[in-house]
Amino acid sequence: MANPLRVTAPAGEPTLGMVREFEAPRRLVWEAFTRAEHMARRWGPRKYSSEVKEYDVRPGGRWRLVQTHGAERHEFSGEFRIVEALVILAWTFGYMNYPPLLETMKFEDLGERTRVVGKGVFPSAAERDGMIASGMESGKRESYERLDDLLVGIAASSIAG
C-alpha cells in the first residue's frame, strides 16, 4: 500500500496516534471529513452500511452515525469541539458503551497531497487498549482505503463541475 496507516499506542498512556497521507489536495480531504454525505460513504469497513443521523460541523455541533450489517449494529456519536477550516477538526468520539474520547485531526497541506495526523485521548490506557482490541485499527485502515476511493470521485466531480 502506497500510503499505509501508522498507528502509535504508547504503553501505559491513554493516547493513540494515527497518521495517513492521501493523494488529494487538502481542500478535498477536508470536504470528505466535514460533509455528511461523504461521511456515510467512507466510514468503517465496506461490509457495513452507514447512515448519518446528525452531522452539524461547528463547535458545539453534534454528530451521530449508525452502522449496520445484517443484525449487527454499531453506533458512534459525539460533539464537535474545534472546527478550523482546512486545518483542524476535533470532536468527542463515542462508540457504543465505551467512554467517549477526544479525537483531534490535523490536516497538513503537502501540495497535491494531504497528511492527516490524528490523536485520540482516552479516559485511561485500559480504555484505549479495549478500543484497540475491538478491531478499531483494522476498521480505521479500511475507512481510509474507502476514503482514497471517495477522493478520486470527489476530484472527478470537481473537475467535471
Side-chain angles (χ1 to χ4, degrees):
M1 172 183 296
N3 293 314
L5 173 64
R6 295 187 317 268
V7 177
T8 56
E13 293 182 23
T15 61
L16 180 71
M18 292 180 279
V19 178
R20 174 73 149 67
E21 292 183 9
F22 297 92
E23 302 296 326
R26 182 169 62 169
R27 70 176 179 75
L28 293 182
V29 177
W30 177 262
E31 180 181 323
F33 272 82
T34 57
R35 293 187 49 191
E37 65 270 22
H38 297 323
M39 185 73 161
R41 294 177 51 208
R42 68 169 187 83
W43 188 273
R46 293 183 194 280
K47 72 178 185 178
Y48 293 102
S49 295
S50 296
E51 183 180 356
V52 176
K53 301 288 191 177
E54 186 175 8
Y55 208 68
D56 184 9
V57 183
R58 63 178 176 80
R62 308 279 310 154
W63 70 276
R64 190 166 68 91
L65 181 138
V66 176
Q67 204 175 49
T68 57
H69 175 70
E72 195 176 341
R73 180 181 172 93
H74 301 274
E75 293 188 34
F76 304 86
S77 63
E79 178 183 305
F80 289 97
R81 296 289 175 85
I82 301 169
V83 179
E84 187 177 326
L86 303 175
V87 178
I88 189 168
L89 187 64
W91 64 10
T92 58
F93 178 97
Y95 169 67
M96 305 293 281
N97 296 321
Y98 287 93
L101 63 123
L102 178 63
E103 186 173 43
T104 303
M105 292 153 285
K106 294 182 180 176
F107 299 78
E108 297 178 359
D109 186 353
L110 305 175
E112 290 302 307
R113 303 179 72 225
T114 304
R115 179 181 300 123
V116 177
V117 178
K119 181 179 182 181
V121 180
F122 292 76
S124 70
E127 296 293 342
R128 187 234 18 225
D129 293 346
M131 183 70 79
I132 291 171
S134 78
M136 175 279 316
E137 186 174 339
S138 64
K140 183 64 113 177
R141 194 175 315 283
E142 195 166 343
S143 283
Y144 279 167
E145 290 167 3
R146 291 179 72 187
L147 177 53
D148 286 330
D149 296 342
L150 177 63
L151 289 166
V152 169
I154 295 172
S157 62
S158 292
I159 293 168

